[in-house]
Amino acid sequence: MLIKTVGVIGAGTMGNGIAQVFAQSGFTVRLVDVAQPMLDRARTTIEKSLGKFVEKGKFSTADRDAMLERLATTTTVDDLGDADYVVEAIVEDAPVKQALFRSLD
């Protein structure tokens, strides 16, 4: 199976870092969180991080723009229905994780 689209659930520090690395690696990424403000903050963090890479000459502006185009955000896990691979990066709370996995199943 060829992985093209990756879902990342949880837009905190770990989740947005994972989403960024997948986008940098050429994958289409859907970053999911329960609230839009969390997703907005994650996108801003990723934009700043990629901007630093551009400043250091690691990526071109076009590379950064392409990476950001591959990154979409959503508050609905249903938007991961066609994802080839899903990474969970939510709060370390067993009942919350179990509920998430039941909904993904």
Side-chain angles (χ1 to χ4, degrees), residues 13-89:
T13 302
M14 190 164 88
N16 74 51
I18 292 167
Q20 178 179 330
V21 170
F22 274 116
Q24 284 176 216
S25 299
F27 295 94
T28 298
V29 180
R30 291 197 191 104
L31 181 59
V32 181
D33 208 295
V34 295
Q36 189 61 47
M38 292 291 294
L39 294 166
D40 294 341
R41 188 177 72 202
R43 183 148 186 115
T44 298
T45 299
I46 292 168
E47 288 173 357
K48 286 180 184 177
S49 177
L50 292 175
K52 290 177 185 177
F53 282 115
V54 170
E55 288 172 11
K56 294 177 182 179
K58 304 276 185 187
F59 300 129
S60 69
T61 303
D63 291 335
R64 178 204 58 209
D65 294 346
M67 291 171 199
L68 290 172
E69 283 182 33
R70 288 191 291 271
L71 176 66
T73 61
T74 181
T75 56
T76 308
V77 250
D78 293 342
D79 290 337
L80 301 180
D82 65 341
D84 302 307
Y85 188 77
V86 176
V87 177
E88 170 272 317

Side-chain angles (χ1 to χ4, degrees), residues 91-105:
V91 63
E92 295 301 318
D93 182 321
V96 174
K97 287 182 185 280
Q98 290 167 343
L100 172 64
F101 287 123
R102 276 192 300 276
S103 73
L104 289 173
D105 192 32

